[in-house]
Amino acid sequence: LDSRSREDDKIKTKFLSFDCARSIFKFGFQHFQYAKKTYVLDGYVSKHITILMGQAEMYNELSYFETDQRRVKAMLHRSKVILRPLLDQLNPEIYSHQLQQISKFL
């Protein structure tokens, strides 16, 4: 799925179960949702981008614990759905670095 090492995957699965990872995901995602209400795109662009990238990364991290490939694909798709709108919403002259990061993620 990406260039992470197998060793990182072994460490994650050794210490966390899917249920534990999902609990952490739900907690973190809820806080990101709350933060998005304060740090809206119009006015807090950089912070909003950081929040969306955090949410997308959480889906990617959770997918490492999922054994059902259909659900893995769905999680990875959701992470892309979160970020893809930014490609059209951000000014490439001002946010070129962030757009590069988002493009790598997609």
Side-chain angles (χ1 to χ4, degrees):
L1 300 171
D2 65 16
S3 61
R4 294 175 195 222
S5 73
R6 291 268 182 216
E7 198 61 34
D8 288 345
D9 293 344
K10 288 179 186 174
I11 291 169
K12 287 178 189 174
T13 56
K14 182 176 179 180
F15 294 106
L16 291 175
S17 67
F18 177 77
D19 290 335
C20 182
R22 184 176 52 198
S23 294
I24 293 167
F25 171 87
K26 286 179 178 180
F27 178 80
F29 203 83
Q30 179 182 7
H31 286 280
F32 275 130
Q33 289 292 92
Y34 180 77
K36 279 195 318 190
K37 291 178 184 176
T38 301
Y39 299 107
V40 295
L41 184 61
D42 185 23
Y44 297 97
V45 178
S46 295
K47 288 184 182 199
H48 192 81
I49 293 168
T50 301
I51 292 165
L52 293 180
M53 291 189 71
Q55 286 184 303
E57 184 60 29
M58 288 185 70
Y59 274 116
N60 283 349
E61 293 292 327
L62 183 61
S63 73
Y64 283 108
F65 298 95
E66 179 57 66
T67 57
D68 181 345
Q69 288 304 305
R70 190 182 98 258
R71 289 178 52 133
V72 169
K73 285 183 180 181
M75 288 178 198
L76 297 177
H77 175 73
R78 280 186 227 125
S79 71
K80 290 177 169 101
V81 166
I82 289 170
L83 295 176
R84 196 169 286 125
L86 291 174
L87 295 176
D88 296 326
Q89 295 171 331
L90 299 177
N91 182 337
E93 293 178 16
I94 298 172
Y95 298 102
S96 61
H97 178 69
Q98 288 92 336
L99 286 168
Q100 285 177 338
Q101 288 179 311
I102 292 165
S103 295
K104 286 179 186 176
F105 198 91
L106 298 175

